[in-house]
Amino acid sequence: MTGETVILAYSGGLDTSCILKWLLDQKYEVICVLADVGQKEDFVAAEKKALKIGAKKVIVSDVKRSFVEDYIWPAVQMGLVYEERYLLGTSLARPCISVALMEAARQCGAKYLAHGATGKGNDQVRFELCAYALQPDLKIIAPWRNEEFCRRFQGRQDLIAYAQEHGIEVSAKPATPWSTDANILHISYESGILEDPNTVAPSSLYELTVDPLTQAPSQPTRLTIEFRKGLPTSVKNLSNGQVFIQPLEILNFLNELGGSYGIGRIDIVENRYVGLKSRGVYETPGGNILFTAHQDLEVFALDREVLRTKQILRDRMTDYVYNGFWFSPEAIYVRKCIELAEEKVSGQVTVELAPGYCRAIARKAAENVGALYNEELVSMDVHGDYVPQDAGGFIAINAVRIREHVRAFGPYKIPKRSQ
Amino acid sequence: MTGETVILAYSGGLDTSCILKWLLDQKYEVICVLADVGQKEDFVAAEKKALKIGAKKVIVSDVKRSFVEDYIWPAVQMGLVYEERYLLGTSLARPCISVALMEAARQCGAKYLAHGATGKGNDQVRFELCAYALQPDLKIIAPWRNEEFCRRFQGRQDLIAYAQEHGIEVSAKPATPWSTDANILHISYESGILEDPNTVAPSSLYELTVDPLTQAPSQPTRLTIEFRKGLPTSVKNLSNGQVFIQPLEILNFLNELGGSYGIGRIDIVENRYVGLKSRGVYETPGGNILFTAHQDLEVFALDREVLRTKQILRDRMTDYVYNGFWFSPEAIYVRKCIELAEEKVSGQVTVELAPGYCRAIARKAAENVGALYNEELVSMDVHGDYVPQDAGGFIAINAVRIREHVRAFGPYKIPKRSQ
Amino acid sequence: MTGETVILAYSGGLDTSCILKWLLDQKYEVICVLADVGQKEDFVAAEKKALKIGAKKVIVSDVKRSFVEDYIWPAVQMGLVYEERYLLGTSLARPCISVALMEAARQCGAKYLAHGATGKGNDQVRFELCAYALQPDLKIIAPWRNEEFCRRFQGRQDLIAYAQEHGIEVSAKPATPWSTDANILHISYESGILEDPNTVAPSSLYELTVDPLTQAPSQPTRLTIEFRKGLPTSVKNLSNGQVFIQPLEILNFLNELGGSYGIGRIDIVENRYVGLKSRGVYETPGGNILFTAHQDLEVFALDREVLRTKQILRDRMTDYVYNGFWFSPEAIYVRKCIELAEEKVSGQVTVELAPGYCRAIARKAAENVGALYNEELVSMDVHGDYVPQDAGGFIAINAVRIREHVRAFGPYKIPKRSQ
Amino acid sequence: MTGETVILAYSGGLDTSCILKWLLDQKYEVICVLADVGQKEDFVAAEKKALKIGAKKVIVSDVKRSFVEDYIWPAVQMGLVYEERYLLGTSLARPCISVALMEAARQCGAKYLAHGATGKGNDQVRFELCAYALQPDLKIIAPWRNEEFCRRFQGRQDLIAYAQEHGIEVSAKPATPWSTDANILHISYESGILEDPNTVAPSSLYELTVDPLTQAPSQPTRLTIEFRKGLPTSVKNLSNGQVFIQPLEILNFLNELGGSYGIGRIDIVENRYVGLKSRGVYETPGGNILFTAHQDLEVFALDREVLRTKQILRDRMTDYVYNGFWFSPEAIYVRKCIELAEEKVSGQVTVELAPGYCRAIARKAAENVGALYNEELVSMDVHGDYVPQDAGGFIAINAVRIREHVRAFGPYKIPKRSQ
């Protein structure tokens, strides 16, 4: 492979540093791309490290704004949540990072893309499906699926030995007994001691959120979050009147405030696309707040039957995104359909942040658009435009099928009551 | 209607007391049935009151155990939650109460059933569909859909005047500016000042749960909840070793403990079956804890694709139950299907209760059954029975459609990055 | 109701003629609207008849083009078929006719709408939901739900007697022992002797189609049907080179040719929205041909996963349309979603018409758009852009869940073979 | 691999004969298994051929009864049809054949399974997923995914040359320009000249069905087909009173009679699981008749809402079966759910067979079970247990959402009529 250029999705960590060196050993020219999606990282140091190992070039690509506006905001709008709890922090970052990788590949004329994702995980699928979609002629190098590489590096110790042997700096900080993926939407923790799903995650694990019981403020904070067509457009802190409107600033603010309340922790076992069940712990403070507010507004704003269809579409979209199909015919199609539904989701929700949780406590429609909620219609005190007598016919006709079933097959078995 | 016997779903409150009197005025003989589903009520006083007004007979039917075992436990097993948040506390009580009403009707040879549900609400549908299913020849009297009745009683003041006129005792306690429905699963609040969805519910409203910020314990409590085939079978308080196994005791315990932490409050706008949007505030402490634990175990225990189908079935079942179709061909069918899936949901979940919320923190499969979670398979350190190289082919074949789309319609538009 | 103006959906037949007279008896002023949706009707005679009975005015509204272009074409595009067989000939006509009724109502300042649909059927729902959507202040008069009217007219004989009494002309032609609804898309037959679902419909019943066995041509005819974005744009008769491009002409041609082959007969029991099961016999020659061609092209043209989502949306839309919700939030929303999918459905299908059926025999993509079908890729003789080795990994990873299930719960029970 | 035993799914044709020889070259001991699923094959000759090439043993396994009773009957019961037209003739045979292969493997202590399925097709997936499910330790040999094998045999000519070189008999009959898969349910044709989806299949291709236009009887035949719980239990030829009750005999009879009418031909493009679109022509005479009858009875017998859920489950099951997941957690689960629904599908349907098609013309419920179809209820002449006045309320309440939408967002845009 003498002279062929590889784009390496580089993190600065032990794995991708060793992969960098290993690629150089295979005679590739390696261009490292560090996508800044909001992880806490010393990008300057990482760049220096890669160059020292032998990277031909290091590209640090700040994609934070794109991540928020092109991936996280749409996910909030669509209401995506995997298996009812996971807000897709990693899944959403992958296509965003992939775009940065493709840009670098195009710019540098690279024919290869290498990544450090493992062979048992979802990320390999996500990176590679994006590559197939965006630049189908790019060839993939996945060292953790390479037999020779896997034989050589059977555990962390082999990586450390190799690093030391080749003068690659190894962090003095002892490794945590779990692995971490961080970005502006979340931090995820998995593997190591977390592999036993019955082991409670230690409180020292959490980085984005404080312990709600001991470190959170004793007073709640109320926020008013505005949405237009399902997208967050402003957040107002009702305690002090502060307002945020730029997406990245909104998310930064909500992460910080939500984190200070210990909001957004989950501990789950999830189903990976490759067929495994894995345990993950996640912190998503800002995302949790936005999801809570959007969910409330959506049920408030949408016609019931439109909502039902939207929910079916959302469930399909969630699997597409988790499984790595962000750039696919089906995801692009379903996303357009959901956006059509969201055209009616404009208004504001007041949420209350308290230690460990946030919840919606009030909502109203945007001023200049119509609203399906009808205070007069639902009122117990006025009829509004509703004739109660009609409900009798409604019920009777709905009962036709039930009564026919009784006629044909006998009465419903009344459960013998537990007494 | 001289002499015809009516079964009246009686609550002891102002509305049904006036309805009782009104029915007597129409020359019906009225048998009042009070179903005890766990609401805080002085049943003796209510009985006396009804007899004094003129009821021929009062039947107090304690259906708490049936409510828990025949309705709430199945709902937990099925994972029912309406529009993503409402745990169906009222919806589930209606068929349970209906069975008590039907038993009374049969026992007393009554041909009429009267209830105090309003013409704009869901409960009229639920009561009447149950009646159609269980005793199709029973005739329904719904005074709040009766034109003459509605003309006479245009507001609460008319009811009070009528009550006073007829010597019906009116509670000295001033009415809350909202209405309430309580049972062992929840208390719901709606109407009155809550009709403006942007009005924050006052903290004085909550009856089952304390204010999490100021009144909850400062220490969390951990519980281990066991399920067998999706049904809760025991709860252990890890703080003191206390164990509960009888369903009613489990729910009482979780309500009390959960309530002491302020767990299970929601404030939502929901879509009623009759086409209105209405705002409701709910407290469901024990139900929230059980739902949280079951949800965690289910994703842990079920095969991913079985889970996906189960979720579709659950979403349909949720609407059936909310809409009043508990006794219907479709609900009976879908419930059997979900039970089949739940046969594999056995194990235990550890949840942590903290002020305002509870969350799952650990889980394991039951001893004597198989488990799909495979610590060895998912481990980063051992291959288990998994060949990482296979993933490359998996991804490539999954990419065929994506690549074909690119070939046919050109590359995916890479979003221009927000910078 | 002296002087109030009613718009009557008038057909010229016995029922609506009696209704016209009955409305006049109630002191309404009646404007009859006859919508021409392609039924064989002597509109001049009908107009004369209505005026003679006492109609203030008769409006004959030719909505054939609108019916084809605004309702039938979209239904073909969406692939609507109710309960797998019924092509919605009546369901689609109702909103089209309703628009004509609303136009008349607006034009004449009428406050009432009367129709002759029965109280057990779907059409009352369809007409009235359209009215609620298009002109919510219009009041509905449905004589067949009016107790006094129903008491008076308990059967056909009562109508005839009333007609004769009031000088209303009664057709000399003996009534068929079934009822009929005809338009340019289909004729439906129901009621009377057809109410026994085990009675075979007599061959004399069919009006639009010949007996395929004895009256159809002995040679097949091939047609090439072109679609653009899912809508039919031209039909070419390959036997003689004739080409049709105007929608109404296309449908007329296909009806005539399809009818001459006896194509498009179905005999079904269907589920009405009001909860009954009813038996219907339908002839839809042209619709059957268009549906067959569109179905073939759609599977050919759409990405598999987009198709799956589209099918779910179509199934929902079909119920909306059958149930009368053409003008509803959900139908308008879902229709837009389906149109998005259909943007890729352009090309042509060759169908062969033979006595009693038609089927697709060839298809190709439109010239100027991309095509997902890839002859090279699927070829057994060339690899195209496909690596067979990848399939092994694809299968192995797909097997992970299956193998895990075996590990956890033991091997699949191999069915004991029936020998 | 000296001495290791391989089970080879042997057909007697050129491909698997060459594979047999190639496996022997690799020093395997090869046991050939021919599963008789009803294909027209000289099994004695095939056995002789395999032994002559060097097979250690040949097992001919007659699985026709199992195929019909354990796979085809359930598929009829479930109503499986892929992408709306394909009756899964090949997909259903694969798990049945796999069971025969597994039995042989177990009996012979084989550790390997070889098959001749191509790397682009569905059958490799089906065979191998079944193997993973039934005997997970079996290793798969798929020569058409083996690089060395594929290099050696790049086309049919290479196979013929190899065969001649090794004394393997090559059929004197010239190969058809398409490939064929036959069993008792269907014959499929694909590849070769059929790869151009716009090429009409030549009439000489069809083997199971005559040309309906020129070779079919001029008189129709009526059959009454009985089902119990969704499974066919008897077929009666109304022309001559002949009755069949044994499943294999039923299918043989329907194939022969249906074939004589030219019933059951389809020509489609379908979506393969591996992501390709492929064109197939299929003949499924008996299956088409059974599917037609079952579909009719099911809509007739099932409650509407149960039917809707069943249809969703069926659509999922169809994909499972087509994709090869017959033995999987999800297919086993969903099949049980569908069987629950089918418990109510008992009765008989009369179908009419005519040249080129069959259709349902009458149906009735089984004697001894209840029936939802209610002739009295649906009658236009009697009210039955139905109050027409109720329909007004039913419609009005269903209109609430529609009217609210108008109130909030303005009236529905009435389409400007095409005139």
Side-chain angles (χ1 to χ4, degrees), chain D residues 60 83 148 176 191 215 276 308 311 339 352 361 384 393:
Chain D
V60 176
E83 292 185 339
E148 188 267 326
T176 54
S191 306
Q215 298 172 279
L276 315 180
R308 291 292 180 278
Q311 286 168 328
E339 285 169 351
E352 182 166 276
I361 56 173

Side-chain angles (χ1 to χ4, degrees), chain C residues 84 103 120 314 417, chain D residues 84 103 120 314 382 417:
Chain C
E84 304 174 13
E103 285 172 349
K120 287 181 172 177
R314 176 205 60 192
R417 280 204 270 123
Chain D
E84 304 175 15
E103 285 172 348
K120 287 181 172 176
R314 175 206 59 190
V382 288
R417 279 205 271 123

Side-chain angles (χ1 to χ4, degrees), chain C residues 17 66 74 118 123 156 169 178 193 196 198 201 232 240 287 344 350 369:
Chain C
S17 294
S66 173
T118 74
D123 285 337
R156 195 176 152 73
E169 190 184 334
W178 53 75
I193 59 166
D196 175 356
N198 205 34
N240 60 15
K344 292 251 178 344
T350 301
V369 299

Side-chain angles (χ1 to χ4, degrees), chain C residues 151-181:
Chain C
R151 228 179 350 257
R152 182 159 187 174
F153 301 104
Q154 299 200 5
R156 195 176 152 73
Q157 287 317 312
D158 296 333
L159 288 165
I160 291 174
Y162 180 79
Q164 287 169 339
E165 185 185 331
H166 292 87
I168 299 171
E169 190 184 334
V170 177
S171 167
K173 219 174 56 178
T176 53
W178 53 75
S179 71
T180 289
D181 179 64

Side-chain angles (χ1 to χ4, degrees), chain C residues 48 55 70 72 110 116 123 137 179 235 257 264 335 345 365 393:
Chain C
K48 252 167 79 177
D70 303 330
I72 299 174
D123 285 337
D137 49 339
S179 71
V235 171
L257 186 63
R335 182 171 161 186
V345 182

Side-chain angles (χ1 to χ4, degrees), chain A residues 28-275:
Chain A
Y28 288 101
E29 298 220 315
V30 185
I31 294 170
C32 290
V33 176
L34 279 108
D36 175 3
V37 286
Q39 71 274 43
K40 299 253 148 46
E41 184 69 53
D42 182 341
F43 291 103
V44 176
E47 179 170 1
K48 248 167 80 178
K49 184 173 174 181
L51 291 172
K52 190 179 157 210
I53 296 170
K56 186 179 164 194
K57 188 175 170 181
V58 176
I59 299 172
V60 176
S61 190
D62 179 353
V63 294
K64 287 196 294 292
R65 276 194 56 183
S66 171
F67 184 33
V68 175
E69 299 181 17
D70 304 328
Y71 301 87
I72 298 174
W73 255 222
V76 169
Q77 181 192 39
M78 294 190 276
L80 307 186
V81 51
Y82 185 66
E83 292 186 338
E84 304 174 14
R85 289 172 294 173
Y86 169 41
L87 290 170
L88 298 170
T90 300
S91 324
L92 290 165
R94 295 318 180 208
C96 177
I97 294 169
S98 294
V99 168
L101 297 171
M102 294 307 115
E103 285 172 348
R106 224 162 287 172
Q107 192 184 308
C108 307
K111 293 196 180 132
Y112 291 84
L113 172 70
H115 64 73
T118 74
K120 287 180 172 177
N122 293 308
D123 285 336
Q124 56 177 345
V125 189
R126 295 166 185 155
F127 279 130
E128 297 177 28
L129 289 183
C130 286
Y132 281 123
L134 300 174
Q135 201 148 327
D137 49 339
L138 212 59
K139 290 196 186 61
I140 306 292
I141 301 172
W144 287 118
R145 296 200 309 259
N146 178 296
E147 283 187 57
E148 188 266 326
F149 185 94
C150 290
R151 225 175 358 252
R152 182 158 186 176
F153 301 105
Q154 300 199 6
R156 193 176 154 72
Q157 287 318 311
D158 296 334
L159 289 164
I160 291 175
Y162 180 80
Q164 287 168 338
E165 185 186 332
H166 293 88
I168 299 170
E169 193 183 331
V170 177
S171 167
K173 222 174 55 181
T176 54
W178 52 74
S179 71
T180 287
D181 179 65
N183 61 48
I184 200 173
L185 180 54
H186 87 339
I187 299 185
S188 72
Y189 309 90
E190 57 173 21
S191 305
I193 60 165
L194 300 176
E195 281 168 7
D196 176 356
N198 206 34
T199 296
V200 177
S203 60
S204 63
L205 169 147
Y206 299 97
E207 298 179 25
L208 278 181
T209 58
V210 305
D211 178 9
L213 272 152
T214 60
Q215 298 172 277
S218 61
Q219 292 302 312
T221 298
R222 290 181 180 180
L223 307 174
T224 293
I225 305 183
E226 284 195 16
F227 293 86
R228 192 173 146 69
K229 302 193 175 189
L231 293 168
T233 50
S234 85
V235 172
K236 180 174 190 175
N237 184 338
L238 299 186
S239 304
N240 59 15
Q242 246 185 319
V243 173
F244 300 87
I245 57 168
Q246 204 272 330
L248 181 55
E249 284 171 10
I250 288 177
L251 188 56
N252 277 329
F253 166 67
L254 293 178
N255 276 334
E256 198 173 334
L257 186 63
S260 81
Y261 276 99
I263 288 171
R265 296 178 173 187
I266 57 167
D267 180 321
I268 64 174
V269 169
E270 74 198 50
N271 289 293
R272 287 193 189 154
Y273 186 37
V274 291

Side-chain angles (χ1 to χ4, degrees), chain A residues 103 120 314 382 417, chain B residues 84 103 120 314 382 417:
Chain A
E103 285 172 348
K120 287 180 172 177
R314 175 205 60 191
V382 287
R417 279 204 272 124
Chain B
E84 304 174 14
E103 285 171 349
K120 287 181 172 177
R314 175 206 60 192
V382 287
R417 279 203 271 123

